[in-house]
Amino acid sequence: MYDVVVVGAGPAGCMAAKYAAKSGASTLIIEKNREIGIPVHCAGLISKRAVEESELTGNRSFIRNRIRGAIIHSPNYEMQLEAREDAYAIMRDRFDRALAKEAMNSGAEIITGCEVVGIRLSGGELRIQTVDTSKGKKEEMGAKVVIGADGVRAGVAKMTGMRIKRNLLSCAQVEGHYDSEGAYAEVFAGREIAPGFFAWVIPLDDQIARIGLCIDKRFSSPHSTPLALLKRFLSQPYVARRYRGSYSYTGGAIPLAAGLKRQKTVKIVKDRGGILLVGDAAAQVKPITGGGVYYGLRCGKIAGEVAAEAASTGDMQVLKHYERRWRREIGKEIAFGIWVHRLRCVLRDDDFDRIFHALGRKRWRIEEKGDMDYPSLILNEFIKEPGFIKLAVKNIIRYMYIYGR
Ligand SMILES: Cc1cc2nc3c(=O)[nH]c(=O)nc-3n(C[C@H](O)[C@H](O)[C@H](O)COP(=O)(O)OP(=O)(O)OC[C@H]3O[C@@H](n4cnc5c(N)ncnc54)[C@H](O)[C@@H]3O)c2cc1C
């Protein structure tokens, strides 16, 4: 029997396993894909803080490009922002593999090509049922604590009755030839382009970029798919002038919490075992940008430490500290982001122009204080201005009226 079994070898799972193993727990990661990090469903834009949080100090070959700022486009307005600190475009497959290696170096074991299909409490321990994805062979193993780090599908949560209320954003992305504006990420907001979210261009160098978009399907026409909208986006004059064809396509989904109260990430089973959810499985994602790597790493560390403590003391009540600790760190940011997302979902194109115009007038302030992991720090300042309050109230009422909470 293991002290801790982590389901999923993404950033959240690898970090949770590393910290559980470092804290002395016998730890196993189970990953359903044969190769860690593949397939990739990510634009790979992360902050310098996230790179530091990964603790990958040696070989940083996962970094593909340095991003110096952003160009923000609303339907009839454009502004360029210089970032206080560079961000990075990374190669997620290499990044995830490096994190897995670090977990192993700390003492965790990893099995790949093995899918967790069931979890039950039996004889005082959690029994985890697995299937070998190529041979179909079934097996079972025991654990004191299971960490569900299995991404947006959140299988562990479903198997254990821990469903988190969330809204799924649907995404499509191509990697291809694109004459970029140097090292600036581009963001395109507007109801026509990407209802409920935005489109992006992340340059990997002067000639290659990841171009994608996400939509909140509750706010788009029933017939529009992210792929169809992406194709339309690629044919818009501004993009079409630069874009010269793609060589890879990915889809994917991003889970946004529907409300903090509906994010229960700890389950204690008869005081004899426990389950924690982390990363996308727990909807620990920034609602404003959809980025989940940094929060996954942060919360993974907490989950690993707390799981190891519960396993070594046998006191499963300790697991409750996990929820308290991660909420203290990112709870307010997620709650704020949920409101901004609701607002964005119902904004009209001229509202986007007005907001970005106002932000543009105080561009220096964003450049000075903006933080991609904690966007509320700067947005809170703007939202308090009278013009914004009026616009926000009008649109939040519109949201509540049309879609309820
Ligand atoms: C199009 C797109 C673009 C994005 N861009 C960015 C970005 O630029 N920056 C950013 O920070 N975030 C971005 N994200 C979000 C980011 O990819 C996720 O938040 C992040 O990968 C979450 O990490 P995780 O470890 O929780 O889950 P994942 O990385 O999804 O890892 C979960 C792992 O669990 C495994 N698994 C699932 N079920 C089982 C099972 N039953 N048994 C065993 N293994 C299982 C999966 O195979 C997978 O390897 C993007 C997402 C999408 C879809």
Side-chain angles (χ1 to χ4, degrees), residues 317 319-329:
Q317 296 300 321
L319 294 175
K320 289 181 181 162
H321 296 322
Y322 166 63
E323 191 145 310
R324 240 173 266 142
R325 283 178 60 187
W326 78 252
R327 280 174 187 269
R328 204 182 308 139
E329 288 205 16

Side-chain angles (χ1 to χ4, degrees), residues 36 43 48 51 77 87 118 125 145 152 158 172 175-176 202 205-206 211 213 234 264 321 340 345 379 382 387 390 398:
I36 288 170
K48 185 169 177 228
V51 171
Y77 183 71
E125 64 178 34
V145 180
V152 64
K158 286 174 196 156
E175 191 168 307
I202 313 287
D205 56 34
D206 288 349
I211 309 165
L213 58 77
L234 292 170
K264 290 271 174 257
H321 296 322
V340 173
C345 284
L379 290 178
F382 287 98
K390 221 168 119 192
R398 191 188 296 160

